[in-house]
Amino acid sequence: MLRAIIANDKKKTNLMLQEVINWNALGIEICGMADTANEAMELILDTMPDIVMLHLRLSGLNMPDFIRTAEESGIFPAYIILGGTRSFESVYSALKCRVDEYLIGQVNPIELSNALKKISDRKIKEEKAAESEQRERRMFDMNKSIIRKHFISNLLSGNIGDAMGTINKLNGMFLFNFRPG
């Protein structure tokens, strides 16, 4: 399950967001709420969330510094900016800061749910890709050991005479693409 925090200077909005979104259906749990940028950063450092929802006008928020602090601590959540304006400067600043979603105006639960679903799907896909890469790395390490044993066995038994035959045999056995050299 993904973890999220909500940071808005209006406690009522935080509580409303907690109630109107079907978090379980999205596979997300709320691991904290904050009223200021400092509280939000403390939550990020303590809980290491996957998603951070920030109100653009959160008290004490300097978005570039905020995100940089989290990243310097090794925490890279997805960011959703809530209650943004249509001003070019605000949107440009959010884009420069690696913000994932930017929801303009009053928080619309359907828009927020869609943004959360999109981020959730991406995070799950990234996790699966990382798991697949780890699995492939383990298989490679296991195969490397088998290939090494096979080669040494052939070398010691004198069956290494035909180098191309050995390479082709290894390629066929282990689905590799070894070439001479």
Side-chain angles (χ1 to χ4, degrees):
M1 185 165 267
L2 296 176
R3 300 160 45 84
I5 67 166
I6 303 171
N8 190 323
D9 54 356
K10 297 177 184 158
K11 287 184 182 190
K12 285 183 181 180
T13 302
N14 286 348
L15 295 172
M16 182 269 306
L17 289 175
Q18 191 174 12
E19 296 300 320
V20 299
I21 303 295
N22 188 347
W23 299 101
N24 285 333
L26 294 169
I28 300 171
E29 70 172 310
I30 300 296
C31 59
M33 290 188 260
D35 301 331
T36 67
N38 288 337
E39 287 177 19
M41 185 51 65
E42 286 178 26
L43 267 174
I44 289 171
L45 297 175
D46 289 344
T47 63
M48 297 175 56
D50 300 291
I51 302 169
V52 175
M53 291 167 279
L54 293 169
H55 191 274
L56 186 64
R57 300 192 200 294
L58 184 64
S59 175
L61 179 65
N62 176 323
M63 200 177 320
D65 290 343
F66 186 88
I67 292 174
R68 188 177 318 107
T69 300
E71 289 178 348
E72 287 172 354
S73 300
I75 304 170
F76 300 90
Y79 291 94
I80 299 176
I81 301 302
L82 304 171
T85 64
R86 293 184 191 275
S87 81
F88 175 78
E89 292 80 19
S90 297
V91 175
Y92 183 68
S93 172
L95 290 173
K96 280 185 9 182
C97 292
R98 200 189 60 76
V99 168
D100 296 86
E101 294 287 330
Y102 187 91
L103 304 178
I104 295 172
Q106 288 291 99
V107 177
N108 178 330
I110 294 170
E111 283 181 20
L112 180 56
S113 289
N114 290 339
L116 289 164
K117 174 79 172 123
K118 183 173 150 184
I119 289 170
S120 175
D121 289 347
R122 189 189 80 231
K123 290 269 187 188
I124 290 169
K125 187 177 179 180
E126 288 171 357
E127 284 177 15
K128 286 181 180 178
E131 288 172 8
S132 176
E133 183 178 328
Q134 286 177 342
R135 195 170 36 255
E136 288 174 7
R137 188 172 305 277
R138 282 193 305 270
M139 288 299 293
F140 175 76
D141 289 342
M142 286 185 343
N143 284 338
K144 187 169 57 172
S145 174
I146 293 169
I147 291 167
R148 191 173 287 134
K149 287 177 187 175
H150 181 74
F151 178 77
I152 291 172
S153 172
N154 278 342
L155 181 65
L156 293 175
S157 66
N159 294 336
I160 198 76
D162 177 17
M164 269 316 282
T166 302
I167 289 173
N168 289 334
K169 203 181 310 180
L170 289 172
N171 286 341
M173 283 174 46
F174 303 109
L175 302 175
F176 287 124
N177 188 24
F178 292 125
R179 294 182 305 271

